Amino acid sequence: MELTALHAALLGVSAHRELMQDPVMLHAERILHFLKFKYGAQALDAYTSLFYDLRKAGCEGLGDWLWDQLRYTESLYSRLIEAGRSDPALENAARRDVDTLVLLAQTDCDRFIDAMKPLLGSEYAPVLAGLPRWKAAAPFCFDSLTRFYQDHGAGLFARYRAFLWEAGKLVPVADPDCPRPEDLLGYEHQRGQVEANTRLLLSGRQANNVLLFGDGGTGKSATIKSMLYLPGMEDLRLIEVEKENLTGLPSLIRSLEGRRQKFLLFIDDLAFDQDDRTYSALKTILEGTLEKRPQNVAICATSNRRHLVRQTFADRAGDEVDTFETISEKTALAERFGLRIPYLTMNKTSYLALVDHLAAQAGIQMDPAALHAQASTWEIRHAGRTPRVARQFIASLQ
């Protein structure tokens, strides 16, 4: 295709307009624009800017960059395919767009440079001869892109599996700190309950909101985070929400409805003091709002408190007429979790079995009786018989 025809086709991109606003595509369009109107110096500036931005993005060619952007930037077409809907006009526009982008990615850099030569003086000859090139190739087509949307969806949720919800925005976590299931020992029954509920969510049925409560260091948070690495959980996404950001949770939940992925909203170490304004916000989110919770979303929270709200003796001997109602109001939040799972301190046998397991993993060779004696002394001086204490003990030996 002639460069002028390619420029016209690029201006006709319609289903992927958001892509055309990126500096990389703006530079590509500027090269073709300035070549068409015989502005050699400006075309050269756009060329070098495009090379710079491609390398800055870690891409060897325009095709590699476009493939990343098409997969991981949401568009009208990607949402259409993800939702399983049909729109012939939009589908035809998307096909034309991708065909144009393929031609652009396959255009050899020498064609741009050769087009600049007659537009520039002889003093530019050494510059043009030494210009860097990017790879001319297109590792995608319209059909491969459509298959990707069908299998993975698009946007951030296709690229990442874990996120933080901060100040009303999703922040991707490229390398989440999630334990592998094989790294966890003990509390098999509790983890089995969480897994069964999560698989219910993955199957497209309504799952319960889950509260894991009990002693610190027992592995409540690790249980939830380990769900990401269980077999069959490829469509699961984990979003960690801090208590301070709970008031913005309804807008997040709305944005997740209709996605192909399933979402666990993870609230760690949840507890409320009296008159905490986020208490009512979470209470309404769990149950009590007119808006129905999407079937692809469930809330999982951990807490060291069974009822989540700090109670005082004043609550039981205050000046209210009905003290029972005061206490009931404080405990109502925990009752809105359909699944409440206790994590209590391990018994001695389970604790020592965990110590043996972690010691073997760490390659520690030690007389079992001496190992158990030291482990028992360690847990007395620390927070009790929990997986956290066991891991700290093994770390001390190393």
Side-chain angles (χ1 to χ4, degrees):
M1 179 181 285
E2 293 296 325
L3 294 183
T4 52
L6 180 58
H7 181 242
L10 205 58
L11 292 178
V13 168
S14 52
H16 295 86
R17 291 306 304 171
E18 68 287 333
L19 194 64
M20 300 304 297
Q21 305 308 311
D22 190 279
V24 168
M25 292 306 296
L26 290 174
H27 294 323
E29 190 276 328
R30 284 174 62 230
I31 294 174
L32 296 168
H33 171 85
F34 289 129
L35 288 175
K36 177 181 178 180
F37 291 101
K38 313 299 184 183
Y39 295 121
Q42 290 87 340
L44 174 61
D45 179 70
Y47 180 98
T48 54
S49 296
L50 177 54
F51 176 84
Y52 175 83
D53 280 352
L54 286 176
R55 282 300 191 268
K56 186 178 178 181
C59 298
E60 293 185 0
L62 189 53
D64 297 333
W65 183 87
L66 282 167
W67 183 222
D68 269 357
Q69 294 298 312
L70 288 168
R71 285 180 296 172
Y72 303 128
T73 301
E74 288 190 4
S75 65
L76 293 175
Y77 181 64
S78 71
R79 293 302 304 271
L80 179 78
I81 298 302
E82 185 179 3
R85 300 195 305 271
S86 177
D87 182 342
L90 179 57
E91 291 166 19
N92 288 334
R95 181 181 291 274
R96 288 195 304 272
D97 289 353
V98 174
D99 289 346
T100 296
L101 296 174
V102 166
L103 289 173
L104 176 65
Q106 291 176 336
T107 301
D108 192 275
C109 293
D110 285 334
R111 291 190 64 189
F112 300 128
I113 296 172
D114 289 342
M116 285 185 237
K117 286 179 180 177
L119 306 179
L120 296 167
S122 58
E123 69 274 18
Y124 284 94
V127 177
L128 296 176
L131 280 179
R133 272 77 165 167
W134 55 82
K135 184 173 66 175
F140 62 92
C141 64
F142 179 75
D143 291 337
S144 64
L145 181 64
T146 301
R147 284 195 300 272
F148 181 88
Y149 292 153
Q150 291 169 340
D151 295 339
H152 305 286
L156 290 177
F157 295 131
R159 188 166 202 161
Y160 302 100
R161 299 193 63 194
F163 301 84
L164 302 175
W165 175 247
E166 294 181 348
K169 293 184 179 179
L170 281 172
V171 180
V173 180
D175 186 20
D177 182 19
C178 297
R180 301 282 176 175
E182 60 269 20
D183 294 332
L184 303 177
L185 192 66
Y187 304 97
E188 286 83 3
H189 176 66
Q190 289 91 330
R191 288 204 306 278
Q193 288 180 282
V194 176
E195 180 182 343
N197 189 70
T198 306
R199 293 200 183 279
L200 199 65
L201 179 71
L202 266 291
S203 70
R205 290 174 286 175
Q206 193 76 42
N208 274 311
N209 295 318
V210 183
L211 173 63
L212 279 56
F213 66 89
D215 300 314
T218 49
K220 301 183 293 295
S221 302
T223 294
I224 296 174
K225 292 191 287 186
S226 70
M227 294 295 111
L228 276 185
Y229 293 120
L230 287 173
M233 299 284 192
E234 291 75 20
D235 271 347
L236 183 66
R237 300 294 181 266
L238 186 66
I239 302 176
E240 184 171 355
V241 181
E242 293 185 352
K243 194 184 80 167
E244 293 74 18
N245 294 316
L246 287 178
T247 53
L249 207 53
S251 63
L252 170 62
I253 293 174
R254 290 186 203 105
S255 71
L256 302 178
E257 186 172 10
R259 299 279 184 175
R260 58 164 289 119
Q261 295 88 359
K262 309 302 186 290
F263 300 90
L264 284 182
L265 307 186
F266 171 41
I267 310 170
D268 196 22
D269 199 19
L270 186 61
F272 297 95
D273 292 321
Q274 293 178 355
D275 303 320
D276 192 325
R277 67 186 187 91
T278 56
Y279 170 87
S280 296
L282 181 59
K283 188 176 175 182
T284 304
I285 290 166
L286 291 171
E287 283 182 24
T289 179
L290 185 63
E291 201 169 8
K292 185 170 67 173
R293 173 168 58 93
Q295 282 194 224
N296 65 333
V297 176
I299 296 173
C300 288
T302 70
S303 180
N304 293 343
R305 295 178 179 178
R306 177 187 293 268
H307 297 304
L308 300 178
V309 180
R310 181 173 64 89
Q311 294 188 52
T312 66
F313 285 110
D315 293 332
R316 298 179 179 273
D319 56 2
E320 284 204 25
V321 174
D322 195 332
T323 305
F324 176 75
E325 286 190 356
T326 301
I327 297 172
S328 296
E329 171 67 17
K330 299 273 184 201
T331 61
L333 181 59
E335 293 171 357
R336 297 197 178 200
F337 287 90
L339 192 58
R340 299 182 292 278
I341 304 173
Y343 273 66
L344 307 177
T345 302
M346 305 174 85
N347 59 40
K348 186 174 182 179
T349 301
S350 299
Y351 170 72
L352 293 178
L354 177 57
V355 168
D356 290 337
H357 175 75
L358 295 175
Q361 276 190 337
I364 295 173
Q365 297 181 351
M366 190 174 176
D367 177 68
L371 179 66
H372 289 178
Q374 289 190 35
S376 298
T377 301
W378 181 273
E379 63 94 356
I380 291 172
R381 293 175 178 174
H382 291 77
R385 293 189 291 265
T386 68
R388 179 184 295 163
V389 169
R391 287 193 299 271
Q392 291 171 344
F393 167 65
I394 294 300
S396 75
L397 294 180
Q398 291 178 299

